[in-house]
Amino acid sequence: MALRALANGKTLGRLYHQQIRGLQTFSLPDLAYDYGALEPAISGEIMQLHHQKHHQTYITNYNKALEQLDDAIAKGDASTAVKLQSAIKFNGGGHVNHSIFWKNLAPTREGGGEPPHGSLGWAIDQHYGSMEKLIAKMNAEGAAVQGSGWVWLAVDKELKRLVVETTANQDPLVTKGASLVPLVGIDVWEHAYYLQYKNVRPDYLNNIWKVINWKYASEVYAKECP
Amino acid sequence: MRSAVDTSRETPFRCLSVDMSWSSSSNYLCISTSSSSSLISSNELARFNRLACESERHRGKCQDLNRPTNIFAYNSLKPPSFKFDKGQRRKDHVLKKPRNISAYYSLKPPSYKFDALEPYMSKRTLEVHWGKHHRGYVESLNKYLEKDDILYGYTLDELIRVTYNNGNPLPEFNAAAQVWNHDFFWESMQPGGGNLPILGLLQQIEKDFGSFSSFREEFIETALTLFGSGWVWLVLKRNEKRLAIATTTNAVTPLVWDDIPLLSLDMWEHAYYLDYKNDKARYANVFMDHLVSWNAALARIARAQAFVNLGEPKIPVA
């Protein structure tokens, strides 16, 4: 990825210029699995479009917005700086959310879908009764999201409790609570499932649990609630 | 504006409401005698009305034959062969509740065949968009109205405004507004669409946007910078008496601000994903070049001029 960026002459000058100024640009993270590895829960075509087109677009626009913000701050242009906030929240949120999403997924043969053992599994059982109840709750909330958004299983690191939350568009989870740390996020934007499931979002939600990577979620949980 | 014979609200008798507002379409089947909103069938009521009116006429009172009446007010008229008993028994024995008859809003198909918009909008997209999404909204709206008598009494335009609740939408808003939005969207497209508007609409666009191409650019730009799911509209603003481009999120429509929409473009991903995947720019351009129905927009602005005064009247000087 980085090599390709360097090789592209058009961005070379800008990247170099930004490095001098100290502005970090973001780049598309690689997936730990092939595009087709999550079949039949999520088709390879969706994974490829989702990763290479949608996520990349968020990153490109995020970098652009940050650059414009940098210029505005340097010039002391307060109104432009504020106007860019919605673009930053949307594109930056998209980048953050999708980066977490790729880590939340794993092929079945690499442990996708396997329920968590250890502290996270115990916390789920204690708080929601059982894994099935948690899944039912998240599916209900995910199906009820109107328009585009995400459904999250998060841990409130201050209160040490699990919460299920939904966010609209690409709002990052912290907009729902500053102390929320996402464990599992499911993208319920239509681009995440439309080619395969058309308008039947509940089917998508039922099937995606087969490829959810609980190992990553357990690691994050163990870090926040040791 | 509703017609003078507006009986759909005060009485249990439901008739085909004649809605003369600028956006009326003839697809709202308001004929129903659902068990929740009416106690007797329309035939019986009509018969009672006729008899009741005749008896009143004998007494010298003036009564309009067509106006449905509350039959309980006529003590002289007893429905035949049962006791005039208050309470549940009367309702059960006498007023035969029709069961399982209810028709609310219908799913109106687009006025062109599904493959008529090929290759710009595929048959598959229309099948899924209309047949699954739009149908789903109509069914959920009907389900809501089944349970709520008060909301049932409104026409669709009024229902949208009422359930929008000034920014704090009730759960029925999503269904009602999306039904309206999709009806409007199908009408905003036509096979062989695109090109330029003509006559007064073109003049108005040139007046308000400078030129058609700058309008087109602004429209497409707005469509591409929309965050999330929403719609892009060409509206006629009532207060400012000019055209403008508006965006709305999710199910919101310019009706709630009392503006008059002329065209809409569905920027929910389901509208273009099957054909264009993530290429929103191509979708928006194709819509402007090949799909948009300027005829429909022209008809709408002509009708809107009955409600909004655009431009100065030409008063001849003697």
Side-chain angles (χ1 to χ4, degrees):
Chain A
M1 276 291 154
L3 193 63
R4 211 181 304 153
L6 278 174
N8 184 355
K10 202 161 50 150
T11 57
L12 179 57
R14 185 161 54 84
L15 277 174
Y16 185 61
H17 186 57
Q18 281 166 347
Q19 238 82 29
I20 297 235
R21 275 191 304 174
L23 184 73
Q24 173 89 349
T25 53
F26 296 93
S27 56
L28 191 65
D30 286 325
L31 299 183
Y33 38 83
D34 287 331
Y35 289 133
L38 300 179
E39 303 253 8
I42 306 180
S43 71
E45 193 191 1
I46 291 184
M47 288 304 293
Q48 185 174 8
L49 279 169
H50 205 173
H51 183 242
Q52 282 181 351
K53 296 274 162 70
H54 290 275
H55 193 178
Q56 181 61 66
T57 309
Y58 288 129
I59 289 174
T60 316
N61 291 340
Y62 186 38
N63 288 337
K64 213 166 26 168
L66 286 178
E67 205 185 310
Q68 288 170 337
L69 181 67
D70 206 45
D71 285 338
I73 292 178
K75 275 190 250 159
D77 188 352
S79 58
T80 313
V82 174
K83 204 162 52 138
L84 286 167
Q85 293 311 311
S86 66
I88 289 178
K89 181 163 97 159
F90 182 69
N91 293 302
H95 170 53
V96 165
N97 292 341
H98 284 88
S99 305
I100 299 174
F101 189 49
W102 307 137
K103 292 197 223 124
N104 277 146
L105 299 171
T108 332
R109 56 185 153 75
E110 284 173 31
E114 207 184 294
H117 311 289
S119 58
L120 178 58
W122 185 82
I124 289 177
D125 285 338
Q126 198 201 18
H127 200 267
Y128 293 102
S130 67
M131 187 59 143
E132 285 73 33
K133 291 216 188 83
L134 169 66
I135 289 180
K137 182 167 166 88
M138 283 190 73
N139 286 354
E141 303 249 337
V145 169
Q146 278 170 14
S148 315
W150 289 73
V151 61
W152 302 94
L153 171 67
V155 60
D156 187 329
K157 61 183 179 205
E158 317 242 312
L159 302 176
K160 304 283 188 233
R161 331 180 11 213
L162 293 173
V163 286
V164 169
E165 267 293 354
T166 55
T167 50
N169 293 348
Q170 295 293 356
D171 295 351
L173 187 58
V174 292
T175 54
K176 281 288 169 101
S179 56
L180 292 179
V181 176
L183 300 174
V184 175
I186 303 181
D187 191 354
V188 289
W189 279 64
E190 282 172 331
H191 63 234
Y193 59 88
Y194 205 73
L195 291 176
Q196 192 179 352
Y197 295 94
K198 307 292 182 308
N199 72 318
V200 195
R201 196 191 280 176
D203 277 357
Y204 161 70
L205 288 170
N206 281 327
N207 285 332
I208 199 174
W209 292 104
K210 300 186 191 136
V211 288
I212 290 285
N213 183 9
W214 285 107
K215 273 192 258 182
Y216 170 74
S218 304
E219 281 165 27
V220 177
Y221 183 77
K223 199 155 59 114
E224 294 299 332
C225 304
Chain B
M1 147 184 124
R2 315 262 318 242
S3 77
V5 180
D6 179 14
T7 56
S8 61
R9 239 183 293 177
E10 318 117 40
T11 65
F13 180 71
R14 185 79 59 226
C15 72
L16 201 63
S17 85
V18 179
D19 181 359
M20 308 233 310
S21 82
W22 59 268
S23 80
S24 79
S25 332
S26 55
N27 60 325
Y28 304 141
L29 303 175
C30 297
I31 333 165
S32 89
T33 49
S34 79
S35 51
S36 64
S37 66
S38 150
L39 299 173
I40 73 173
S41 79
S42 54
N43 284 338
E44 287 181 314
L45 183 57
R47 197 169 77 237
F48 288 154
N49 280 338
R50 244 193 327 275
L51 295 171
C53 290
E54 279 170 329
S55 77
E56 279 308 306
R57 228 170 257 143
H58 288 315
R59 292 185 184 195
K61 283 190 200 153
C62 210
Q63 189 78 10
D64 184 2
L65 188 65
N66 289 326
R67 185 172 307 155
T69 51
N70 183 357
I71 71 159
F72 306 129
Y74 294 94
N75 291 326
S76 61
L77 177 69
K78 287 183 171 45
S81 73
F82 42 76
K83 275 197 182 165
F84 196 72
D85 195 11
K86 290 202 188 345
Q88 198 57 35
R89 221 200 306 175
R90 178 175 71 204
K91 287 190 204 155
D92 286 346
H93 290 245
V94 173
L95 308 168
K96 301 181 185 61
K97 272 192 238 188
R99 287 168 192 77
N100 306 325
I101 306 172
S102 55
Y104 298 77
Y105 293 104
S106 64
L107 178 63
K108 180 179 170 207
S111 54
Y112 36 81
K113 290 216 183 79
F114 286 167
D115 53 7
L117 298 179
E118 296 265 12
Y120 309 112
M121 188 175 273
S122 66
K123 179 172 176 214
R124 186 90 185 96
T125 300
L126 276 170
E127 277 173 3
V128 180
H129 197 175
W130 178 83
K132 300 239 175 83
H133 290 273
H134 192 181
R135 190 188 300 275
Y137 288 126
V138 170
E139 283 171 2
S140 78
L141 175 63
N142 287 341
K143 256 200 287 253
Y144 279 124
L145 292 185
E146 229 167 40
K147 300 186 215 133
D148 193 321
D149 255 352
I150 299 177
L151 290 184
Y152 178 76
Y154 290 110
T155 59
L156 191 57
D157 289 12
E158 293 173 347
L159 185 64
I160 291 174
R161 268 178 260 252
V162 161
T163 50
Y164 184 64
N165 204 12
N166 288 314
N168 208 356
L170 306 176
E172 296 83 1
F173 173 72
N174 191 50
Q178 284 292 71
V179 169
W180 192 92
N181 288 342
H182 282 90
D183 276 339
F184 191 85
F185 181 52
W186 305 133
E187 287 165 15
S188 298
M189 294 195 292
Q190 66 170 75
N195 296 318
L196 294 177
I198 54 171
L199 302 176
L201 182 55
L202 182 60
Q203 282 169 11
Q204 190 68 32
I205 286 180
E206 285 177 347
K207 184 164 144 217
D208 291 327
F209 294 99
S211 70
F212 178 71
S213 46
S214 64
F215 155 72
R216 185 184 183 284
E217 244 174 65
E218 200 184 320
F219 192 86
I220 293 182
E221 168 86 28
T222 315
L224 299 182
T225 50
L226 189 86
F227 289 155
S229 306
W231 299 76
V232 188
W233 306 83
L234 172 63
V235 287
L236 175 63
K237 288 193 141 336
R238 258 192 234 250
N239 293 333
E240 298 161 38
K241 298 191 176 41
R242 62 185 302 270
L243 295 178
I245 297 177
T247 51
T248 57
T249 47
N250 291 358
V252 182
T253 126
L255 282 188
V256 303
W257 312 310
D258 218 25
D259 286 333
I260 302 180
L262 303 176
L263 283 180
S264 78
L265 173 57
D266 190 353
M267 289 308 291
W268 282 62
E269 285 177 325
H270 63 236
Y272 60 87
Y273 211 76
L274 291 176
D275 295 331
Y276 300 96
K277 308 287 187 308
N278 77 318
D279 200 347
K280 288 201 286 195
R282 207 155 63 91
Y283 168 61
N285 276 298
V286 159
F287 175 81
M288 263 292 145
D289 290 335
H290 299 287
L291 286 175
V292 64
S293 171
W294 288 115
N295 297 328
L298 189 64
R300 287 175 187 143
I301 197 173
R303 193 170 201 185
Q305 294 196 313
F307 299 85
V308 176
N309 216 353
L310 289 174
E312 298 302 318
K314 284 200 181 70
I315 302 176
V317 180

